[in-house]
Amino acid sequence: MKKLVLFIGVLSMPFLNAQDITDALRYSNQDILGTARYRGMSGAFGALGGDLSAIQINPAGSAVFLNSSGSITLSSGNIDNDTHYRNSMTSASSNTFNFNQLGAVFVYDNNDQSSPLNKLSFSIAYDQTADNRDEFSSFGRSNTSIDNFFLSEAQGIQLDLLTVRNNETVSQLYSILGEDEGYGTQQAFLGHESFLIEANDLDDLDNTSYFSNIAPGFFDQEYFYESTGLNGKFTVNGGAQINERFYVGVNLSSHFINYDRVTKFIELNNNTDSFIVDVEFDNRLSTVGSGFSAQIGGIAKVSKMLRLGLSFESPTWYYIEEETTQRLRTIDNTGADYDVNPNVINIFPEYQLRTPGKATGSIAVLFGKLGLISLDYSYKDYTSTEFDSDFGENFYEINRAIENNLQGASTIRIGGELRNGNWSFRGGYSYEESPYKEEFILGEKTGFSIGIGHNFGQFKFDIAYDYSEQERNQQFYPNSGFSNAVSVDSYRDNLTFTLGLNF
């Protein structure tokens, strides 16, 4: 059995703590991708209900339905990234096709005139909460080398740990270091084995100081990034209408995460006295997770024209597992090639992530059969995000960094709908504040939407187009000695189609 494990390269890493703030935010930002009607109004549905995706904003929305119905939603999206690095700009585009939403709500009228309970509702739904598809590349000339990444990890580590023994392979030692020493020692080993860094005293196995085989100067660098996957949730909802004016509801949701990322870094130099002139560093990450959250909400009919909504969503408690693979290849000034490819899958111990809760207040003005205007305001305190572990992992540093760098953030969504017979015309605008205190890391997100729908009676068909843009500053290797980063301007647009059925 041990031979099989080594062959497939599976590794347990109990001392690894490689998570960072970007991981926390990636799984904390849940954006209901939802139905075309919901997206056509930029998600401003907290005081309205009557839409299966609106139930994810305010659970009381299920009791607003007049009859049982269901819907299914598909969307096609495009992502354009303009990347700026060291006075160079590149552009990349990628397309996605998603199954956004599927659900049904069942409405039961109470014919007992003496009861304050007018209606009960029950719904079950799937909603996609994030599209993890992203892709960009960058290139430029820097005066800082990736050797800083490996040097910072290696300093203080005994040369003895980084030396391959007789009858021992690179894969075996890389695996052992992960099991016994952790991520940093593995990086030091990759750098040393590829001759990118060297011990100050090769004859002393107790040596703990290292120097770079890359000389100072200028470095032509390229960075490739691609991620895929999606996050979503399954929700069971119960709602009720009380005394014709009040709606209440509860959601219980099961969440899942599916995220895969591939990065490749290339560096070339012709600096005088450089022994290593070419570096290629490949990393793959695969993440799966599951979580749970709850939500309560209410809607009040203040008058025929005015509705108010209020909802609270608990934190989501995730259990997350991750796997990584790595490869480092260097070429020296004589053309010799040093390819360090351990062929080992690093399996992280499961860790826990608590994302922030959310409060949403909503107001809607209805103009009878002519249409409506709706506004939602939401608030999340991102400083409450927290990593934890049942395996003795110490997340003190990353949790402290979250408290020091993140903040509470507001989201505003405004939507409107104009009706003409069986036709509906929609539009909306959204604004999301940055969760970072320093907005240059991740800027505010703005967007708009338009949509159209037709009610055929038993069937309804809706189409929506939405667009958003956001800037971010992304480090190649966060929390490392190599701090180079790329600036990315992201533009996303989606075309969404929903088929609804009354039954």
Side-chain angles (χ1 to χ4, degrees):
M1 184 63 181
K2 289 183 179 179
K3 291 182 179 180
L4 177 62
V5 171
L6 288 172
F7 174 76
I8 63 175
V10 176
L11 170 65
S12 173
M13 300 183 66
F15 301 102
L16 176 61
N17 190 358
Q19 290 73 32
D20 58 51
I21 295 179
T22 58
D23 295 315
L25 289 177
R26 182 184 306 117
Y27 309 130
S28 296
N29 288 327
Q30 296 184 28
D31 189 11
I32 305 300
L33 302 187
T35 66
R37 186 184 180 215
Y38 174 90
R39 296 189 77 156
M41 292 175 54
S42 292
F45 263 90
L48 293 174
D51 181 276
L52 277 161
S53 290
I55 296 172
Q56 304 293 342
I57 303 301
N58 190 334
S62 65
V64 177
F65 280 86
L66 299 177
N67 50 265
S68 300
S69 63
S71 64
I72 183 171
T73 302
L74 302 174
S75 73
S76 175
N78 184 71
I79 307 166
D80 291 315
N81 286 322
D82 292 338
T83 307
H84 305 268
Y85 181 62
R86 306 293 176 175
N87 298 320
S88 297
M89 191 190 85
T90 56
S91 296
S93 180
S94 57
N95 298 308
T96 64
F97 184 80
N98 292 312
F99 170 51
N100 281 16
Q101 175 273 335
L102 174 67
V105 59
F106 305 91
V107 179
Y108 305 94
D109 293 319
N110 184 6
N111 297 320
D112 184 355
Q113 300 295 324
S114 63
S115 172
L117 191 64
N118 290 25
K119 189 194 307 178
L120 289 174
S121 61
F122 169 79
S123 73
I124 183 168
Y126 159 77
D127 275 272
Q128 185 179 343
T129 58
D131 181 359
N132 293 324
R133 177 70 181 176
D134 201 8
E135 182 179 345
F136 67 85
S137 62
S138 64
F139 67 90
R141 174 164 288 190
S142 171
N143 59 3
T144 306
S145 170
I146 195 174
D147 63 359
N148 289 292
F149 174 85
F150 297 97
L151 278 175
S152 64
E153 300 292 349
Q155 303 299 351
I157 295 176
Q158 286 186 336
L159 176 61
D160 185 47
L161 290 174
L162 310 183
T163 303
V164 178
R165 306 292 196 276
N166 292 332
N167 300 320
E168 185 179 51
T169 67
V170 166
S171 295
Q172 289 170 333
L173 181 52
Y174 178 86
S175 178
I176 291 170
L177 291 176
E179 292 176 339
D180 297 340
E181 303 297 331
Y183 173 81
T185 307
Q186 282 186 318
Q187 308 317 296
F189 172 67
L190 291 176
H192 184 261
E193 188 66 19
S194 65
F195 297 97
L196 195 157
I197 60 174
E198 193 66 85
N200 284 348
D201 187 350
L202 281 173
D203 296 323
D204 181 8
L205 291 179
D206 292 327
N207 174 88
T208 58
S209 58
Y210 300 82
F211 65 91
S212 173
N213 276 320
I214 297 178
F218 292 97
F219 309 93
D220 294 316
Q221 298 170 338
E222 297 181 63
Y223 182 76
F224 302 91
Y225 176 106
E226 182 180 12
S227 63
T228 57
L230 59 88
N231 304 342
K233 66 178 178 177
F234 298 90
T235 300
V236 175
N237 164 274
Q241 182 184 18
I242 303 171
N243 290 332
E244 296 187 356
R245 286 183 172 270
F246 301 99
Y247 304 87
V248 295
V250 177
N251 287 346
L252 299 177
S253 299
S254 174
H255 301 251
F256 69 87
I257 294 170
N258 190 329
Y259 176 78
D260 294 285
R261 182 181 69 213
V262 177
T263 64
K264 184 180 187 70
F265 182 89
I266 299 174
E267 179 179 288
L268 304 174
N269 80 87
N270 58 2
N271 300 331
T272 304
D273 296 329
S274 263
F275 176 65
I276 297 296
V277 296
D278 187 343
V279 181
E280 296 180 17
F281 189 30
D282 299 334
N283 284 268
R284 291 177 178 267
L285 167 69
S286 179
T287 304
V288 295
S290 60
F292 173 82
S293 70
Q295 196 175 10
I296 61 172
I299 297 174
K301 284 185 177 180
V302 179
S303 67
K304 288 185 178 181
M305 290 187 63
L306 184 64
R307 291 186 186 181
L308 300 177
L310 186 64
S311 64
F312 298 94
E313 183 174 0
S314 76
T316 301
W317 291 272
Y318 281 113
Y319 287 85
I320 299 175
E321 297 177 348
E322 294 180 335
E323 297 179 356
T324 66
T325 59
Q326 295 184 294
R327 177 187 179 188
L328 179 63
R329 177 173 176 257
T330 62
I331 298 176
D332 69 21
N333 54 19
T334 68
D337 190 322
Y338 311 103
D339 191 355
V340 186
N341 186 8
N343 287 312
V344 170
I345 300 175
N346 298 317
I347 301 178
F348 298 99
E350 181 184 76
Y351 66 91
Q352 300 160 24
L353 175 66
R354 185 190 69 194
T355 69
K358 181 174 73 172
T360 302
S362 312
I363 183 171
V365 180
L366 288 73
F367 305 101
K369 295 182 179 181
L370 294 177
L372 57 89
I373 297 175
S374 179
L375 183 147
D376 285 6
Y377 170 81
S378 300
Y379 182 82
K380 276 186 176 183
D381 181 7
Y382 286 91
T383 64
S384 65
T385 307
E386 185 176 76
F387 287 96
D388 200 358
S389 172
D390 292 329
F391 297 93
E393 288 286 324
N394 184 355
F395 289 101
Y396 173 78
E397 291 297 332
I398 180 62
N399 288 334
R400 187 175 67 173
I402 288 172
E403 292 179 3
N404 292 337
N405 291 279
L406 300 186
Q407 64 178 357
S410 300
T411 299
I412 297 174
R413 301 179 185 273
I414 303 172
E417 184 176 60
L418 178 65
R419 297 171 187 152
N420 182 11
N422 291 328
W423 289 94
S424 297
F425 306 90
R426 306 174 183 116
Y429 171 82
S430 63
Y431 167 84
E432 296 181 26
E433 190 178 6
S434 172
Y436 281 94
K437 293 177 181 178
E438 301 290 343
E439 286 193 12
F440 78 91
I441 301 175
L442 181 66
E444 60 190 31
K445 182 179 179 180
T446 58
F448 71 87
S449 61
I450 56 174
I452 188 172
H454 190 274
N455 191 336
F456 297 93
Q458 186 177 4
F459 294 94
K460 294 182 290 184
F461 186 70
D462 298 291
I463 303 175
Y465 170 83
D466 64 273
Y467 169 90
S468 65
E469 57 184 50
Q470 189 173 34
E471 298 178 3
R472 72 180 187 268
N473 191 69
Q474 183 163 325
Q475 280 191 302
F476 297 146
Y477 303 99
N479 303 322
S480 75
F482 183 52
S483 60
N484 287 25
V486 62
S487 176
V488 183
D489 299 336
S490 291
Y491 310 92
R492 291 176 178 254
D493 57 356
N494 294 274
L495 196 60
T496 305
F497 309 88
T498 297
L499 177 64
L501 170 66
N502 295 320
F503 53 84

